[in-house]
């Protein structure tokens, strides 16, 4: 049973699309709708288009008006409001495209929104360079030998130990204000990570070094 959601938000458009047959629900924010249209994405596959529609333009969108969900709350981002709609449905995994690029305050805001939903969803972001997501305190990822691996505390983690990275950590600490774990790379096919307290983002590079 397909249990994943595909969500497009208004950052940089993806260079390519995932296999949409793997998803049970496909949605976008109103700004992402325009780049999907320009990239010839099959818009009839969208289950909903949400947002305050401040990015709405053009007359042909009325074809899909029945898919619009108007969310005018200016205290929340379109990404957050889309996740709230998804939260009303029976899903646990959300793949997000368009989370980075463009104005970097949007990127940081998207990470903060994802942090707020990390206990509710397994949210993974995908862009041209990497996939990235919050990881639990016991975690392993496979098929990554020679790939760039970055660890980013949000804002701090304690007693972190890694295996399979070129620069290993043993009961170390990471903190956004002093020491972060970016630009490392995997020397083994599997990288395992464990830490005691805090929250941690992992970035897994798409391309081999």
């Amino acid at each position: 049973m397909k249990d994943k959601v595909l969500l497009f938000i208004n950052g940089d458009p993806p260079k390519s699309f995932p296999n949409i047959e793997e998803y049970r629900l496909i949605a976008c924010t109103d700004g992402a709708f325009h780049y999907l249209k320009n990239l010839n994405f099959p818009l009839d596959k969208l289950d909903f288009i949400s947002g305050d529609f401040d990015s709405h333009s053009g007359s042909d969108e009325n074809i899909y008006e029945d898919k619009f969900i108007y969310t005018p709350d200016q205290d929340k981002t379109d990404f957050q409001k889309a996740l709230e709609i998804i939260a009303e449905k029976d899903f646990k995994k959300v793949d997000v495209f368009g989370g980075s690029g463009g104005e970097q305050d949007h990127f940081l805001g998207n990470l903060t929104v994802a942090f707020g939903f990390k206990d509710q969803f397994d949210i993974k972001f995908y862009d041209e360079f990497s996939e990235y997501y919050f990881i639990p305190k016991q975690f392993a990822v496979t098929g990554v030998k020679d790939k760039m691996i970055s660890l980013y505390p949000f804002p701090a983690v304690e007693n972190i130990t890694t295996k399979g990275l070129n620069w290993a950590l043993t009961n170390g600490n990471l903190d956004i204000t002093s020491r972060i774990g970016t630009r490392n790379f995997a020397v083994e096919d599997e990288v395992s990570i464990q830490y005691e307290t805090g929250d941690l983002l992992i970035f897994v590079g798409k391309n081999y070094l």
Side-chain angles (χ1 to χ4, degrees):
M1 174 68 71
K2 297 180 292 185
D3 64 348
K4 293 194 299 181
V5 174
L6 175 58
L7 176 62
F8 296 98
I9 60 179
N10 194 23
D12 278 353
K15 299 294 184 181
S16 61
F17 295 120
N19 180 6
I20 62 175
E21 299 303 321
E22 295 180 357
Y23 298 92
R24 191 151 57 95
L25 185 143
I26 302 174
C28 70
T29 59
D30 61 334
F33 180 86
H34 302 293
Y35 72 63
L36 291 177
K37 181 176 64 175
N38 292 335
L39 293 172
N40 296 316
F41 184 84
L43 300 176
D44 59 303
K45 298 294 185 181
L46 292 171
D47 291 283
F48 72 80
I49 305 147
S50 68
D52 53 21
F53 296 98
D54 58 355
S55 301
H56 180 75
S57 64
S59 58
D60 56 341
E61 280 88 337
N62 60 13
I63 301 172
Y64 304 99
E65 189 172 1
D66 62 328
K67 298 178 184 288
F68 288 168
I69 299 177
Y70 183 55
T71 53
D73 189 344
Q74 293 297 312
D75 291 328
K76 299 176 181 179
T77 67
D78 285 348
F79 179 35
Q80 180 177 351
K81 290 180 281 188
L83 288 177
E84 289 176 348
I85 294 169
I86 294 168
E88 298 174 356
K89 308 176 188 296
D90 187 23
F91 294 101
K92 295 299 181 184
K93 298 179 180 179
V94 183
D95 289 350
V96 179
F97 288 76
S100 60
E103 297 173 337
Q104 292 307 300
D105 55 340
H106 282 172
F107 169 65
L108 294 174
N110 290 336
L111 294 181
T112 301
V113 168
F115 176 79
F117 285 86
K118 68 181 178 61
D119 295 327
Q120 188 166 3
F121 295 123
D122 174 9
I123 298 174
K124 286 189 176 183
F125 293 93
Y126 295 84
D127 64 20
E128 181 181 0
F129 305 103
S130 63
E131 60 184 63
Y132 49 100
Y133 43 92
F134 287 95
I135 61 173
K137 292 179 172 58
Q138 299 280 342
F139 176 79
V141 59
T142 60
V144 293
K145 186 176 181 181
D146 295 326
K147 288 188 175 182
M148 186 73 72
I149 304 288
S150 289
L151 304 178
Y152 193 81
F154 205 85
V157 294
E158 295 181 343
N159 271 350
I160 180 171
T161 296
T162 66
K163 181 180 178 183
L165 292 176
N166 186 61
W167 294 286
L169 290 165
T170 303
N171 297 323
N173 297 328
L174 298 177
D175 190 291
I176 193 174
T177 64
S178 57
R179 184 191 188 193
I180 56 177
T182 57
R183 312 303 288 180
N184 209 332
F185 66 93
V187 294
E188 299 179 14
D189 185 70
E190 179 176 287
V191 168
S192 62
I193 301 163
Q194 62 180 26
Y195 60 99
E196 287 189 2
T197 62
D199 292 284
L200 187 65
L201 274 163
I202 187 171
F203 293 74
V204 180
K206 278 188 175 181
N207 299 319
Y208 285 84
L209 299 175

